Amino acid sequence: MRRKYSSGSALRTLCLTALALLASVASATTTIEVSTVTQLQNAVTSANNAGGDYTILVDDGTYTLSDTLYVTAPNITIAGKSNVRENVIIQGDAMSASAVVGNVIRVSGSNFTLHHVTLQHSGWHAIQVAGESNADNPYIHDCVLRDTYEQLLKVSYNSATPGIASDNGRVENCLFEYTAGIGPEYYIGGIDAHASTGWEVRNNTFENIASPNTAVAEFAVHFWDGSANNTVEDNYIINCDRGIGFGLQDSANTGGIIRNNMIYHANNGAPFADVAIALADSPNSQVYNNTAFLLQNFQWAIEYRFAQTTGVLIENNLLNLPVQLRDGASGTVSTNYTAATAAMFVSPSTGNLHLASAVAGVVGAGKAIAGLTDDIDGQTRPSGSIDIGADQYSSGGTGSTGSTVPMPPTNVTVQ
């Protein structure tokens, strides 16, 4: 039986629906599976040539590149098929200045996604996100970035084209590390981001980003050179020369939040161990409810410096060293506990700075801060009973309920 329509409007609606369906089919993501390095390189080339909208699933194995994987088109995903990041290793030829492969992956297309892989061994970076090409919205999730000769994740920028940068990136649940326990040189770092706005860096672990000689290493996480309004939260930073930095002298950052991070440095002889958190030329930034326990010879845990650093908030941080005002900075600094001891924590030598007991002057001694709703484990911070530091003891963790807390990964090895 032929269906009748009561009006031309219904027919137009049907036609528009059909056109939308065809458009959806036309723009559907192409998925390809690869199991050799040649297939991987060809798949990236095909994705670029097709204008993007590609997902490349990588079978378990080690993929040694002869050149950088250049991602130039938008909406390209590279993911380990097994969802086990240690099982898919994409690598260059060496961790040295003479390496043939500079970057393992260089991204100049927007909406790039990387899941469940390990990147290692290059002369420059594991990933370079080209902000100068407006590579917005990169998403790097559940990956290992390790053993490169320069910064592990670089977000670059061209000052000759202001207003073009990489915005709204996300880096979550990743491990950044140097497996030898120290870096190959001083010009290394975890995430080094220029002119980046709206990035979120959370639930990652950074280990052994430390200089062996010459000068201090870059930060585990650093937003500077025109960056603004980024959030760094819920990360573990272990035995890195410097923890988290916003801004640098004459290379300003604006705003942003650093909260609920645990930062530990052993007295391990690293020659350039430095500050846990630094604001430098970074107005209106907020640093709150972090825990830092530093056993090297540096003299303070948090610093804010230079006259351009105004309107900052530094509160509710649990530290074993002071907060240091330098070079004319200004802001609100209160309710920081600066006399922490190892006995307060569950296992400081492994970076586990959860409270081992209800420490007087810490538990319930913090103040409410707009935006502070939970702790490093995602546990709610009860209204009217805010703990100082990254761990809300009264809401669980290894506190009164005795529940198990998440720990940084320990089973990652070089293959």
Side-chain angles (χ1 to χ4, degrees):
M1 182 175 74
R2 187 167 56 188
R3 184 173 181 179
K4 296 182 180 179
Y5 294 93
S6 60
S7 70
S9 176
L11 182 58
R12 284 194 298 273
T13 299
L14 180 63
C15 290
L16 290 172
T17 301
L19 288 172
L21 179 61
L22 288 172
S24 175
V25 171
S27 64
T29 299
T30 298
T31 300
I32 185 169
E33 184 176 334
V34 301
S35 58
T36 70
V37 68
T38 299
Q39 291 174 353
L40 174 59
Q41 291 168 324
N42 289 342
V44 172
T45 299
S46 296
N48 291 328
N49 291 340
D53 294 310
Y54 250 73
T55 294
I56 301 168
L57 297 179
V58 187
D59 287 344
D60 288 355
T62 298
Y63 299 76
T64 302
L65 304 173
S66 58
D67 194 9
T68 296
L69 295 176
Y70 292 94
V71 177
T72 60
N75 304 311
I76 292 177
T77 294
I78 299 175
K81 183 183 176 184
S82 67
N83 295 335
V84 180
R85 64 191 188 185
E86 293 83 7
N87 290 356
V88 177
I89 299 173
I90 304 173
Q91 62 183 13
D93 57 312
M95 180 182 64
S96 73
S98 60
V100 172
V101 178
N103 300 310
V104 179
I105 300 176
R106 186 182 188 277
V107 179
S108 56
S110 292
N111 304 313
F112 171 71
T113 297
L114 187 72
H115 294 307
H116 315 309
V117 302
T118 293
L119 305 181
Q120 64 183 27
H121 300 169
S122 64
W124 299 335
H125 318 294
I127 305 175
Q128 180 182 352
V129 177
E132 61 271 26
S133 298
N134 207 29
D136 291 336
N137 310 310
Y139 180 36
I140 301 164
H141 168 257
D142 192 33
C143 295
V144 179
L145 282 68
R146 66 188 180 198
D147 295 341
T148 63
Y149 197 67
E150 295 183 2
Q151 299 88 8
L152 293 160
L153 170 56
K154 182 82 165 188
V155 187
S156 55
Y157 169 70
N158 184 351
S159 60
T161 55
I164 300 176
S166 178
D167 300 325
N168 303 318
R170 283 192 295 157
V171 184
E172 298 176 338
N173 303 106
C174 293
L175 171 64
F176 295 75
E177 68 166 353
Y178 284 90
T179 56
I182 200 163
E185 56 144 349
Y186 78 94
Y187 190 58
I188 58 173
I191 299 173
D192 182 27
H194 299 249
S196 301
T197 299
W199 278 60
E200 299 174 355
V201 177
R202 60 167 56 93
N203 297 319
N204 305 286
T205 298
F206 301 82
E207 292 194 69
N208 305 321
I209 301 171
S211 169
N213 54 47
T214 308
V216 63
E218 304 254 351
F219 291 86
V221 183
H222 193 196
F223 286 99
W224 61 300
D225 196 16
S227 294
N229 302 325
N230 302 289
T231 300
V232 181
E233 62 183 351
D234 304 336
N235 301 286
Y236 292 88
I237 300 175
I238 302 169
N239 292 334
C240 298
D241 276 359
R242 293 186 283 185
I244 303 166
F246 279 0
L248 198 67
Q249 186 175 16
D250 300 322
S251 295
N253 171 81
T254 301
I257 296 172
I258 300 170
R259 66 184 171 205
N260 287 342
N261 301 283
M262 291 187 177
I263 303 172
Y264 171 75
H265 203 299
N267 185 15
N268 61 0
F272 296 100
D274 204 282
V275 72
I277 298 173
L279 303 179
D281 278 8
S282 188
N284 303 316
S285 300
Q286 297 186 331
V287 179
Y288 57 86
N289 286 89
N290 301 281
T291 300
F293 192 63
L294 311 179
L295 299 179
Q296 81 285 18
N297 293 324
F298 200 72
Q299 296 174 310
W300 52 82
I302 297 175
E303 67 180 25
Y304 60 119
R305 64 184 307 195
F306 304 121
Q308 294 84 353
T309 301
T310 60
V312 300
L313 180 148
I314 302 174
E315 295 183 331
N316 290 1
N317 298 287
L318 177 56
L319 316 166
N320 68 319
L321 295 169
V323 177
Q324 184 68 34
L325 164 64
R326 304 180 68 188
D327 305 311
S330 60
T332 300
V333 179
S334 69
T335 58
N336 298 292
Y337 187 104
T338 60
T341 65
M344 293 181 180
F345 305 118
V346 171
S347 178
S349 64
T350 61
N352 185 346
L353 301 181
H354 290 81
L355 293 171
S357 62
V359 179
V362 173
V363 171
K367 63 188 298 185
I369 299 172
L372 178 63
T373 60
D374 58 13
D375 73 352
I376 191 171
D377 307 311
Q379 296 168 334
T380 300
R381 293 190 185 265
S383 176
S385 183
I386 303 295
D387 294 353
I388 292 175
D391 176 34
Q392 183 73 20
Y393 176 87
S394 60
S395 64
T398 52
S400 57
T401 64
S403 59
T404 302
V405 299
M407 281 299 299
T410 58
N411 63 340
V412 179
T413 57
V414 175
Q415 300 184 21

